[in-house]
Amino acid sequence: MKNTQIILLFLTVIGLSACGKVTVETAEEFKQIELPDSSVVYLNHNSKLTYDKDFSPRKVTLEGEAFFSVNDGETPFVIETQKGDEVTVLGTEFNLVASIDFIALEVEIGLVTLRIGGGDIFKEIHRGQRIDFNRHDNGLH
């Protein structure tokens, strides 16, 4: 009985590590990350990017700041913040600052949608536009 429990525990640990998360963090340096779909993320200093190892769906979580160069895909590419905000794109380039109190999104190429707080505020941001959201006063600029 004990051997069976040990084997089951071992298989569970192996299974969890195989379908785990990938986390990339920066301190005072910048990092360039190529995601499994060949999209590229330029992670600014003091930032953190997390995604599922299998990258299905195409979803990442960002804390801090990053510039995204997202490849076209059959499914949307979603960036989620720690506060539940979502940025959704298909193929585009944009810069995103996602802190606890503030979001800044600037679109270089394409169209990006921003859903703040899980759906309370929804905006489309086009090429050359920037949007800032401050949680202290719910100010959208």
Side-chain angles (χ1 to χ4, degrees):
M1 183 78 165
K2 254 189 186 269
N3 287 341
T4 304
Q5 290 173 336
I6 291 171
I7 290 171
L8 286 175
L9 178 62
F10 178 74
L11 291 174
T12 301
V13 169
I14 298 243
L16 288 175
S17 65
C19 62
K21 300 254 184 210
V22 175
T23 300
V24 180
E25 293 185 71
T26 58
E28 295 303 317
E29 76 280 11
F30 298 90
K31 288 187 180 175
Q32 178 179 330
I33 304 144
E34 185 170 337
L35 298 172
D37 71 344
S38 297
S39 294
V40 178
V41 179
Y42 301 92
L43 197 59
N44 206 340
H45 64 277
N46 300 315
S47 298
K48 179 178 171 182
L49 185 80
T50 305
Y51 58 93
D52 286 335
K53 191 182 282 188
D54 64 2
F55 206 57
S56 179
R58 295 191 325 156
K59 185 175 188 176
V60 301
T61 302
L62 175 67
E63 295 176 31
E65 181 176 5
F67 182 86
F68 291 83
S69 180
V70 177
N71 283 338
D72 288 332
E74 293 180 18
T75 60
F77 185 101
V78 177
I79 300 101
E80 188 174 88
T81 71
Q82 58 197 33
K83 285 290 204 174
D85 310 308
E86 286 188 354
V87 175
T88 304
V89 301
L90 287 174
T92 187
E93 291 185 0
F94 59 95
N95 194 71
L96 176 64
V97 178
S99 75
I100 297 275
D101 300 320
F102 184 79
I103 293 176
L105 176 63
E106 186 170 359
V107 179
E108 295 289 324
I109 298 172
L111 171 69
V112 176
T113 61
L114 172 64
R115 184 175 307 278
I116 296 175
D120 299 339
I121 300 172
F122 179 83
K123 292 289 180 188
E124 286 187 350
I125 302 95
H126 299 266
R127 177 181 182 209
Q129 292 182 326
R130 176 186 170 115
I131 193 165
D132 296 322
F133 176 75
N134 186 330
R135 289 187 205 287
H136 293 296
D137 62 4
N138 284 329
L140 191 60
H141 309 281

